[in-house]
Amino acid sequence: MSLHHKLYRIFRSYLFWRVVRAFVTILIVMTLTFFILRLMPGNPIDLYIINLMTSGGLSYEEARNRALAMFRINLTRPLYEQYFEYVSNVFRGDLGHSIVSIGTPVIKIIAEFLPWTIFSVGIALIISFLLGIFIGTFMAYRRGSKIDSVLISLFSILSAIPNYIIGLLFIVILGAQLKIVPFTMLRGAYSPYIKPGFTVEFIADIFLHAAFPILVYVLTTIGSWALTMRGSVISVLGEDYVLVAKVRGLPERRIMWTYVGRNAILPLFTNLAISIGFIFGGSTLVEFVFVYRGIGYRLWEAISARDYPVAQGIFLIVTAAVVIANLIADLIYAILDPRVRIQ
């Protein structure tokens, strides 16, 4: 058997077990989400039944039958029956219908809110990643200097502060105290009086509404990219091929980007693949603070209203995104370093 064929079989086995592990992880998280949501106190159907009985004068049975017919879900059935029905529906591509927004498919709700989260957090991820690379490279070449120490301290502090805390500080200081930014006018993904479309006015408006969520994401993530890049560049600077390039008299700029930058940035690409998965789940509290109507804000609403199908659907999308991103990162790392395929 040729070496190429052996490597192909090893990589195929590596890919197979990673896919199996990803599937099992999604199934476990989906199961935990299903049962944890139902262990939370409160039930939207029971609340609706009580409201019908008090305001409409209906008996319990009449109110219950009307609620079950309206909500398309029967929470009085045994939990295991509800679970197996939910799993079978998911495998058929049916995430169910919202309990609160009666008759609205969960997939439609996700399709409505998800693009705004991808837009805001995606732009922030690109900005913080690129800035982190340049700043981290600069810090590595100025290691030990005063500005390097200041930036390390600053980025360490920013990375340690939860993103929603920074969002609240913006609202309190810039909005309530200084009254510089009218945050009440920036709620939602865009202004209701502007017609959606591919126009300069609409595009400028959605950027305006997403400006502070993007700023918060950048401030809380740029530090990790910069510090990681700094460590990676310092490690590469000690390699023999960099010393040889300096001995050959190559320009410092060429050494920085051709020899150092290209090799130092490789470990960050695997982290970038993982970070892309967290786009879908890392925005809940920030979107709630700024009332930015993305998937995180909708998840908060669903949990608060005990809208089980919507919360389950969003958690499933978030889990799948993170797991698939980790799988892609594993594959990228296996391609960059074949030694991991045999582990």
Side-chain angles (χ1 to χ4, degrees):
M1 184 181 297
S2 65
L3 178 61
H4 177 75
H5 187 60
K6 287 182 179 179
L7 290 176
Y8 172 73
R9 290 185 60 183
I10 292 173
F11 184 73
R12 186 175 62 181
S13 176
Y14 174 88
L15 176 61
F16 172 76
W17 287 112
R18 289 300 187 277
V19 171
V20 170
R21 188 176 68 179
F23 175 79
V24 172
T25 301
I26 293 174
L27 184 60
I28 291 174
V29 174
M30 186 171 66
T31 301
L32 291 175
T33 300
F34 178 89
F35 288 103
I36 289 174
L37 285 173
R38 281 158 178 76
L39 290 175
M40 296 175 64
N43 184 318
I45 293 183
D46 288 343
L47 294 177
Y48 187 76
I49 290 174
I50 294 173
N51 183 51
L52 288 177
M53 292 173 62
T54 55
S55 61
L58 300 178
S59 65
Y60 175 79
E61 287 298 326
E62 291 175 333
R64 177 177 176 274
N65 292 335
R66 182 178 296 184
L68 293 180
M70 182 174 294
F71 287 121
R72 299 186 180 183
I73 186 172
N74 186 358
L75 299 179
T76 61
R77 295 167 52 199
L79 207 55
Y80 71 90
E81 291 185 7
Q82 298 181 47
Y83 170 73
F84 286 117
E85 181 183 12
Y86 167 65
V87 173
S88 64
N89 289 337
V90 168
F91 284 131
R92 291 198 302 267
D94 181 13
L95 299 182
H97 293 74
S98 171
I99 297 177
V100 177
S101 302
I102 300 172
T104 305
V106 173
I107 194 67
K108 182 179 179 181
I109 294 175
I110 294 175
E112 178 183 352
F113 288 87
L114 183 59
W116 299 112
T117 296
I118 296 177
F119 169 74
S120 61
V121 188
I123 290 178
L125 179 61
I126 294 172
I127 293 174
S128 63
F129 180 73
L130 295 178
L131 287 179
I133 288 173
F134 287 105
I135 296 175
T137 304
F138 171 79
M139 293 170 63
Y141 274 86
R142 298 293 187 273
R143 60 189 181 278
S145 65
K146 187 175 182 179
I147 190 171
D148 179 46
S149 301
V150 171
L151 289 176
I152 289 175
S153 300
L154 176 63
F155 287 146
S156 298
I157 293 172
L158 287 176
S159 299
I161 301 176
N163 51 18
Y164 66 90
I165 296 296
I166 295 181
L168 287 172
L169 289 175
F170 278 139
I171 293 176
V172 172
I173 297 174
L174 299 181
Q177 299 294 330
L178 301 179
K179 301 186 184 302
I180 297 175
V181 181
F183 284 102
T184 55
M185 303 294 293
L186 299 179
R187 294 178 177 178
Y190 56 90
S191 301
Y193 55 83
I194 296 179
K195 183 179 180 181
F198 195 70
T199 61
V200 175
E201 183 184 21
F202 179 72
I203 293 174
D205 187 66
I206 62 175
F207 271 101
L208 180 62
H209 280 73
F212 277 93
I214 290 174
L215 180 59
V216 169
Y217 297 139
V218 170
L219 289 176
T220 53
T221 58
I222 190 175
S224 61
W225 294 119
L227 295 175
T228 303
M229 186 65 180
R230 177 185 182 275
S232 184
V233 169
I234 292 175
S235 177
V236 172
L237 284 173
E239 297 292 337
D240 292 337
Y241 59 83
V242 176
L243 179 60
V244 171
K246 292 180 179 180
V247 171
R248 290 173 57 192
L250 294 178
E252 189 67 26
R253 184 184 297 271
R254 182 180 176 185
I255 294 175
M256 180 188 297
W257 300 115
T258 303
Y259 290 86
V260 178
R262 287 185 178 181
N263 291 282
I265 202 175
L266 288 178
L268 274 73
F269 277 116
T270 54
N271 294 336
L272 179 63
I274 297 173
S275 298
I276 292 173
F278 284 99
I279 284 178
F280 303 96
S283 59
T284 303
L285 294 177
V286 173
E287 291 183 352
F288 176 76
V289 167
F290 290 107
V291 196
Y292 184 79
R293 297 185 63 80
I295 198 69
Y297 181 83
R298 189 64 183 87
L299 174 61
W300 183 279
E301 285 186 329
I303 294 175
S304 301
R306 304 298 187 267
D307 196 346
Y308 300 146
V310 174
Q312 289 167 181
I314 295 176
F315 273 122
L316 178 60
I317 295 297
V318 171
T319 302
V322 173
V323 171
I324 292 173
N326 276 272
L327 176 62
I328 293 173
D330 281 344
L331 297 180
I332 292 175
Y333 202 74
I335 294 172
L336 296 177
D337 187 356
R339 293 173 298 178
V340 303
R341 302 176 194 171
I342 61 176
Q343 294 179 0

